[in-house]
């Protein structure tokens, strides 16, 4: 199906449907580039852990909007593949702090480069900074709304 055959089909779709479409298609693109790793949305979680060393599983639930069970399953997969590790939180011994391993530290820049390539291919540029920041703020507002 070429791009023109989509014209008019989604004109009445809600904004969030477009965001969901972008997210799903970016994940398909990422997976096509590193399919040997058999990672899906886990790629987003490893980047969150990489960017926030010591983050907790509960923090990932809040940040991602995913269920505790979904996050736990994804973290187990990342841990089994050697990309993240759990360390006991010294302030609360019942909680774990998540950190990337050496293998995880090598993987995240690859994912980021593939993401940048995707952004370029779909037409996002540095000129879209204000739009990206506005969408990020909307996402933060949405997280706060359901806290």
């Amino acid at each position: 199906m070429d791009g023109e055959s989509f014209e008019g089909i989604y004109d009445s779709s809600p904004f969030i449907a477009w965001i969901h479409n972008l997210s799903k298609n970016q994940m398909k693109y990422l997976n096509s580039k590193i399919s040997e790793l058999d990672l899906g949305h886990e790629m987003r979680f490893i980047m969150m852990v990489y960017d926030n060393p010591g983050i907790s599983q509960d923090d990932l639930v809040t940040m991602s909007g995913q269920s505790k069970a979904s996050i736990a399953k994804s973290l187990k997969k990342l841990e089994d593949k050697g990309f993240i590790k759990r360390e006991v939180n010294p302030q609360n011994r019942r909680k774990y702090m998540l950190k990337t391993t050496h293998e995880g530290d090598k993987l995240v820049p690859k994912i980021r480069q593939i993401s940048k390539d995707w952004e370029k291919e779909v037409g996002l540029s540095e000129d879209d900074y204000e739009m990206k920041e506005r969408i990020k703020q909307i996402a933060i507002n949405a997280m706060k709304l359901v806290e």
Side-chain angles (χ1 to χ4, degrees):
M1 214 177 205
D2 62 27
E4 290 180 23
S5 56
F6 291 117
E7 295 296 321
I9 293 175
Y10 296 110
D11 286 347
S12 62
S13 294
F15 174 72
I16 197 65
W18 288 107
I19 299 296
H20 182 71
N21 177 284
L22 283 170
S23 176
K24 294 295 263 186
N25 282 297
Q26 184 197 33
M27 289 310 305
K28 286 179 185 177
Y29 183 87
L30 284 166
N31 283 321
S32 74
K33 298 298 182 185
I34 51 176
S35 60
E36 71 278 2
L37 297 178
D38 186 33
L39 295 175
H41 58 273
E42 291 88 7
M43 284 186 264
R44 291 191 176 135
F45 302 137
I46 192 173
M47 289 192 290
M48 289 177 182
V49 172
Y50 179 88
D51 291 338
N52 302 282
I55 192 170
S56 73
Q57 184 171 323
D58 290 339
D59 293 335
L60 285 177
V61 168
T62 301
M63 288 173 67
S64 69
Q66 300 288 317
S67 70
K68 285 184 180 186
S70 176
I71 295 292
K73 184 178 176 183
S74 294
L75 293 177
K76 175 80 170 109
K77 187 174 182 179
L78 289 169
E79 195 172 20
D80 289 349
K81 289 182 175 283
F83 295 125
I84 66 164
K85 60 185 173 185
R86 298 170 198 250
E87 296 178 357
V88 174
N89 184 332
Q91 280 81 37
N92 183 346
R93 301 201 51 80
R94 293 181 298 163
K95 291 198 174 200
Y96 290 95
M97 301 182 311
L98 303 167
K99 297 183 179 178
T100 50
T101 63
H102 178 68
E103 288 303 311
D105 291 342
K106 291 190 323 189
L107 176 61
V108 170
K110 291 178 187 176
I111 295 171
R112 290 241 161 87
Q113 184 57 55
I114 295 167
S115 290
K116 284 181 184 179
D117 295 345
W118 177 84
E119 288 181 4
K120 183 178 177 183
E121 290 293 322
V122 300
L124 285 172
S125 70
E126 293 300 319
D127 295 337
D128 295 317
Y129 175 79
E130 287 179 21
M131 176 191 60
K132 290 178 191 178
E133 286 300 309
R134 180 69 182 122
I135 290 172
K136 187 189 317 179
Q137 187 58 53
I138 291 168
I140 290 168
N141 292 345
M143 285 188 285
K144 289 177 183 176
L145 191 62
V146 295
E147 277 185 315

